[in-house]
Amino acid sequence: MQTQNLGFLLTDIIRLMRREYTKSNLEMTPMQARALVYVARSEGIRQVALAEMLDIQPITLARLIDQLAQDNLVERRPDPTDRRAYGLYLTDQACPLLEKIDEEVKRVQEKALQGLTEEQASAMLNALLIVHTNLSTDLPNID
């Protein structure tokens, strides 16, 4: 039985999309991929801010970033304005991987949108952007 509950439906869609993503040949978890993409969008971001954006605990993110750094995909650099803080930056090795992540995201999105016309898919994505904006008006800007 399908439900008309928006929260349930979105949560279940995310779960199913993550499951589909794990079928890829990328050798990283969906959370590692998300972290890498967010660092690419906001190079120099501090770990605390990234943890908030990913909605995970800072200690969990620290371990995730440790793994990405060990794989030579990101590096921590001292923050020029606060010597106690570090910013996160991509390495050159991350760029080809980001392209593969983008291809995988497109593949999963194409599968998810099968059976919808371009107009239906566009309308749905636009509606979700409005929902996102409505719910994020009280949050700090993360884009």
Side-chain angles (χ1 to χ4, degrees):
M1 178 170 106
Q2 293 188 1
T3 180
Q4 296 295 315
N5 180 301
L6 180 63
F8 176 85
L9 191 56
L10 289 174
T11 301
D12 207 38
I13 289 169
I14 290 167
R15 178 184 63 80
L16 293 168
M17 289 181 80
R18 283 186 181 144
R19 179 185 292 170
E20 185 64 30
Y21 175 83
T22 60
K23 295 177 184 176
S24 75
N25 60 358
L26 294 174
E27 295 182 4
M28 64 182 351
T29 67
M31 185 57 76
Q32 288 172 324
R34 282 185 67 211
L36 197 62
V37 169
Y38 273 91
V39 171
R41 288 182 184 169
S42 305
E43 279 199 277
I45 190 169
R46 292 182 184 179
Q47 281 186 201
V48 172
L50 182 57
E52 187 175 314
M53 292 167 72
L54 295 172
D55 199 26
I56 61 176
Q57 294 297 314
I59 189 67
T60 303
L61 179 67
R63 287 190 294 263
L64 193 143
I65 295 300
D66 287 345
Q67 183 61 51
L68 293 175
Q70 184 179 354
D71 293 342
N72 199 29
L73 298 172
V74 298
E75 62 185 15
R76 294 175 174 102
R77 295 184 197 160
D79 186 313
T81 62
D82 183 350
R83 62 183 188 194
R84 298 169 296 165
Y86 290 86
L88 300 171
Y89 294 86
L90 296 178
T91 66
D92 291 340
Q93 281 186 252
C95 294
L97 186 55
L98 284 165
E99 290 175 15
K100 289 179 182 178
I101 291 169
D102 190 47
E103 290 171 15
E104 220 20 64
V105 167
K106 287 177 185 173
R107 180 190 69 79
V108 172
Q109 183 167 311
E110 285 175 10
K111 181 172 182 173
L113 299 177
Q114 277 179 310
L116 297 177
T117 66
E118 279 189 42
E119 185 178 278
Q120 289 171 322
S122 180
M124 182 191 65
L125 292 172
N126 287 330
L128 288 172
L129 283 171
I130 292 169
V131 170
H132 183 272
T133 299
N134 291 344
L135 295 173
S136 62
T137 55
D138 296 333
L139 299 175
N141 186 6
I142 61 172
D143 292 330

